[in-house]
Amino acid sequence: DFSQATSVNAPLTPVNLDNWLLICTQRDQNKGRDLVTVMKEGARKLGMRVAAPVLLPLRDDRTESFIRAITSNQSQEVQCVVTIVPTDRDDRYNAIKQLYYINSPVASQVIKSKTLSQPQKLRSVVQKIMLQINAKLREELWACNIPLGNAVIVGIDTYHEPTSRAGYS
């Protein structure tokens, strides 16, 4: 089982998360704290170290508030920005991702608050998030020994479920 293998094997080149931001509404601060606690606990299993983030609680959930928090806290030292959004509004998600990808490129992870609401699934969810962050910081997760010489293997993603909401954790 692939999920089982990923939970017991550390990435090839784990990254330490030393300088990162956590943006969420004041209402989601407890979920943010729980996220950080579980990340720190899970980091050891993955060979990673997670420092405390700079927590940026927002008074409201307006898109402009998220954008302002991101732009006013830009820094070359920031490795990653984790953003917890209270609902899955496409306009907010698109504005946040555009800012991360185009205006101020930084590794980012946007998480719906609802995703962090189930304590029994939190460890599994957080582990997947940490692996995604590790990959987004351009580190190798896994490799396999393929005993082929002079070969190129190409994978093509050819199908997406039409009802799924791409981009959200």
Side-chain angles (χ1 to χ4, degrees), residues 69-131:
I70 295 164
T71 56
S72 63
N73 290 281
Q74 293 176 345
S75 166
Q76 293 286 3
E77 291 81 35
V78 172
Q79 295 170 276
C80 180
V81 181
V82 175
T83 307
I84 300 173
V85 294
T87 58
D88 56 351
R89 285 185 23 215
D90 284 341
D91 62 324
R92 177 177 36 226
Y93 178 81
N94 292 336
I96 290 170
K97 280 301 192 175
Q98 178 179 345
L99 190 61
Y100 289 144
Y101 288 144
I102 298 169
N103 301 31
S104 57
V106 65
S108 65
Q109 186 70 41
V110 178
I111 308 165
K112 287 188 292 187
S113 176
K114 182 180 176 183
T115 304
L116 303 174
S117 296
Q118 300 172 338
Q120 68 276 17
K121 294 183 179 179
L122 189 57
R123 290 196 192 312
S124 174
V125 166
V126 169
Q127 181 179 30
K128 290 178 178 102
I129 289 169
M130 291 180 64
L131 291 172

Side-chain angles (χ1 to χ4, degrees), residues 58-77:
L58 306 177
R59 292 180 189 218
D60 57 65
D61 67 347
R62 293 181 8 243
T63 300
E64 299 79 29
S65 299
F66 282 92
I67 299 303
R68 190 172 29 258
I70 295 164
T71 56
S72 63
N73 290 281
Q74 293 176 345
S75 166
Q76 293 286 3
E77 291 81 35

